[in-house]
Amino acid sequence: MRLSEIQGQKRAVDLLRSALRQGRVHHAWLFAGPEGVGKETTARAFAQSLLCESPRDGEACGACLACGKVERGAHPDLLAILPEARAVERGLLSREELGRTPSRELRIEQIRELEGMLALSPVEGERRVVLLIGADSMNVPAQNAFLKTLEEPPVGTHLLLLAETADALLPTIRSRCIRVPFVPLPLDFVAARVAAERGVPEDEARLLAALAGGSLGRALSLTAEALEDRARILEELERLDASDFRPLLALAERIAAGGREGAEILLDAIALFYRDAALVAEGGSEAMVANRDLLPLVQRAARRGCPAALFRFREAARAREAIERNVVPRLAVERFLVRCVLEEVTP
């Protein structure tokens, strides 16, 4: 895919094409933004432009031998470094081959192996491009090891760091990169793609898009079972009260069972539900409700009033932010649920 074909990320694409047109391509770039919004697709399109034999107007030609190799994932001068767990998920590595539990971090051994590869000259041209996928998963020793490469890269080497949480990277790394911001994709765009690729009704596609928070990748990965699980969790949440904390603790365990990412997805779903309840409480149209499949439950939550719904919306968002700051998911979720049942909200 060429840069001009990237949709929903105009600012990022314009920045990259401008650098290519002017011939002033920095050696290090930080592609920062949510999961599933096109960071890797854009990075590969940028790499194709850098490795293209006949680029024009800030674009790869799309027709030369080099462009074909990039599109097939077979160009020897395009290196992709990613955590072992992601490599297993993509079928690039097997657990049996690894012989241990795959790491979710970029390990210092991978950074040192990269240094060895970069010590060699490019295979086919004058440039080499490295995609560091999940760059924010590097621990501090790995980041410190990578810093040397970032400070003194071999001539013709371009380093593209892909990160969901840029602040997880050391300031010394961030300061040496040009930041390329990626934003959540428009709801209508995600819904249309989901409807086309999954063949689901428009209402369901819009719900998946809303639950995914503008992430096409996440929207496409959400299953019918995930939707049912989110419905059961919301029903249990609406039944909680301060007289018995056992259901609360059990619910916290369920929400946190999917780990950091699973808890974030469910907290996003909870926040969206209470946003819907606030809209209904204020007399909003049912057409504005994302959770139309749960309309009776939304209406029940709305009867507590808009301030109560907005309180839960804000608390769910805060719990998600806490998890992003590396608070243990179970603790963040328990705190959210306790505040939901104990905090009195005055209209």
Side-chain angles (χ1 to χ4, degrees):
M1 180 178 288
R2 299 165 70 214
L3 280 170
S4 59
E5 297 170 336
I6 303 292
Q7 299 183 53
Q9 300 294 349
K10 184 178 185 303
R11 183 182 175 191
V13 169
D14 286 350
L15 175 61
L16 296 171
R17 292 191 70 186
S18 175
L20 288 163
R21 286 193 196 101
Q22 296 175 33
R24 296 164 60 182
V25 182
H26 192 62
H27 74 278
W29 300 78
L30 173 57
F31 288 43
E35 174 196 6
V37 298
K39 294 191 302 296
E40 186 173 345
T41 300
T42 306
R44 290 184 181 275
F46 186 46
Q48 185 179 34
S49 294
L50 290 170
L51 297 171
C52 177
E53 296 167 3
S54 305
R56 55 181 178 271
D57 192 32
E59 279 277 81
C61 71
C64 69
L65 185 61
C67 282
K69 289 182 177 180
V70 171
E71 290 178 357
R72 295 193 304 273
H75 200 297
D77 293 324
L78 175 56
L79 309 177
I81 312 299
L82 66 167
E84 294 166 345
R86 293 198 190 190
V88 170
E89 290 168 3
R90 298 184 183 192
L92 304 173
L93 181 68
S94 69
R95 289 175 179 269
E96 293 74 19
E97 179 184 354
L98 192 60
R100 54 177 169 76
T101 301
S103 173
R104 293 198 168 276
E105 296 182 339
L106 277 173
R107 304 168 65 236
I108 192 169
E109 291 82 1
Q110 291 175 280
I111 301 303
R112 288 173 176 159
E113 184 179 352
L114 173 63
E115 290 175 349
M117 291 187 285
L118 294 182
L120 304 174
S121 299
V123 177
E124 294 193 355
E126 297 179 355
R127 283 176 164 170
R128 178 187 284 117
V129 183
V130 178
L131 306 186
L132 209 64
I133 300 167
D136 48 342
S137 71
M138 286 189 289
N139 58 27
V140 173
Q143 291 191 50
N144 283 327
F146 180 67
L147 189 57
K148 181 180 178 181
T149 298
L150 196 60
E151 289 174 332
E152 300 176 7
V155 175
T157 296
H158 299 279
L159 305 165
L160 313 185
L161 285 67
L162 282 58
E164 292 176 40
T165 309
D167 288 346
L169 293 168
L170 295 172
T172 46
I173 286 183
R174 297 198 306 269
S175 66
R176 286 165 172 77
C177 300
I178 293 180
R179 186 162 179 161
V180 184
F182 284 76
V183 297
L185 296 167
L187 178 65
D188 289 344
F189 170 76
V190 176
R193 287 285 300 273
V194 170
E197 295 190 28
R198 294 184 55 172
V200 299
E202 182 182 345
D203 278 359
E204 183 176 339
R206 289 189 67 82
L207 172 60
L208 291 169
L211 289 171
S215 167
L216 177 59
R218 181 177 289 180
L220 290 171
S221 69
L222 286 172
T223 63
E225 292 76 14
L227 290 180
E228 292 172 3
D229 189 42
R230 139 257 182 200
R232 287 191 293 268
I233 283 173
L234 288 168
E235 288 169 357
E236 290 179 27
L237 175 54
E238 278 297 292
R239 290 198 299 267
L240 293 179
D241 62 61
S243 65
D244 185 357
F245 268 54
R246 287 173 297 180
L248 183 151
L249 296 174
L251 182 57
E253 184 173 354
R254 281 188 58 197
I255 293 174
R260 191 172 303 278
E261 183 178 354
E264 288 176 353
I265 290 172
L266 287 171
L267 286 167
D268 284 343
I270 291 169
L272 182 64
F273 175 82
Y274 285 110
R275 168 264 192 193
D276 284 349
L279 282 173
V280 172
E282 288 295 288
S285 166
E286 292 179 4
M288 301 170 66
V289 173
N291 292 273
R292 293 183 205 173
D293 60 327
L294 300 177
L295 188 56
L297 190 64
V298 172
Q299 292 168 333
R300 189 197 315 168
R303 285 196 285 271
R304 285 198 300 270
C306 183
L310 287 176
F311 173 78
R312 291 193 174 196
F313 167 81
R314 288 192 296 267
E315 288 301 315
R318 286 172 181 160
R320 191 196 195 289
E321 290 170 0
I323 293 173
E324 288 180 343
R325 297 193 305 270
N326 289 325
V327 173
V328 175
R330 175 69 182 267
L331 295 178
V333 173
E334 282 184 2
R335 182 179 184 277
F336 160 65
L337 295 178
V338 168
R339 287 181 66 79
C340 283
V341 300
L342 292 184
E343 196 76 16
E344 181 174 326
V345 180
T346 303

